[in-house]
Amino acid sequence: EGLRNRTNEAFLFNKGSVEGLAGTIKKVLSLAPEEKEKIAKLEILEATNKYSWKKHIDKLIEAYERV
């Protein structure tokens, strides 16, 4: 389990590991502000492209057309 950013760096931790999650959060919080901003912009872009209403509607239409 974990967080993965689009700068090819993974923030991984073992599932169920409170210590691992805490360490990952500390690692993310210790990043330079510029790096956090870069990651945030890339993740927002990814979420917008992957989970937009248009994408959702397009997938629903595709499913209905197959039926």
Side-chain angles (χ1 to χ4, degrees), residues 21-62:
L21 175 58
T24 298
I25 291 171
K26 287 178 184 178
K27 183 177 179 182
V28 171
L29 292 175
S30 71
L31 294 172
E34 300 81 21
E35 185 66 15
K36 290 179 194 174
E37 184 69 24
K38 179 181 175 184
I39 292 168
K41 285 180 181 180
L42 291 170
E43 293 303 327
I44 289 168
L45 181 62
E46 172 81 4
T48 302
N49 290 333
K50 194 171 184 180
Y51 302 108
S52 70
W53 276 108
K54 180 169 178 11
K55 290 274 188 183
H56 180 68
I57 297 300
D58 289 345
K59 286 181 181 180
L60 284 174
I61 291 171
E62 283 179 27

